Amino acid sequence: MKIVAVTACPTGIAHTYMAQEAIEKECKKRGYEYQVETQGGMGIENELEQDVIDTADAVILAIAVEIEGEDRFDEKREANRVLNADPSEVIKDPAKFIDEAEKIVGN
């Protein structure tokens, strides 16, 4: 399974990167392909290209603020392949969100 995610919090520091790490660790543990874009204090890092988004099975938007380029996910949203979450919830229980991603994909 291939998961892409965007993480962003109001200050763009701690929770943005903690949520990124939580998603990456859980995906790695399960042997999933993943890429996580952060929109934080350092600007956009690891920016997701449209072709990467298009080939992903699921999208996790762990965001507590508006993000740049949210329209990139419209097609995935229409296909019910986007999970919205608060970064702090993803940090606390990343497995829950990867489980939810599996459910929307049908794995």
Side-chain angles (χ1 to χ4, degrees):
M1 187 155 99
K2 182 177 180 180
I3 295 175
V4 296
V6 178
T7 63
C9 68
T11 57
I13 305 171
H15 284 92
T16 298
Y17 300 102
M18 290 167 66
Q20 171 195 18
E21 185 178 343
I23 292 166
E24 289 176 346
K25 278 186 178 179
E26 189 63 30
C27 286
K28 189 173 187 176
K29 186 167 102 177
R30 297 181 191 214
Y32 292 160
E33 198 177 327
Y34 60 88
Q35 187 173 337
V36 182
E37 172 181 304
T38 57
Q39 292 194 18
M42 304 291 287
I44 297 175
E45 296 178 272
N46 304 317
E47 187 169 358
L48 296 169
E49 299 294 331
Q50 190 64 52
D51 63 324
V52 172
I53 296 166
D54 292 345
T55 60
D57 296 304
V59 176
I60 299 173
L61 297 179
I63 57 175
V65 293
E66 285 192 31
I67 58 168
E68 289 185 43
E70 191 162 352
D71 59 332
R72 297 175 289 166
F73 305 101
D74 287 349
E75 195 172 302
K76 291 294 182 189
R77 189 172 280 111
E78 289 170 14
N80 293 315
R81 295 288 179 108
V82 176
L83 295 171
N84 293 294
D86 187 90
S88 62
E89 294 299 314
V90 172
I91 293 163
K92 288 179 198 168
D93 192 1
K96 172 185 168 188
F97 295 96
I98 303 305
D99 289 346
E100 286 184 33
E102 290 175 346
K103 286 179 191 168
I104 65 172
V105 171
N107 281 357

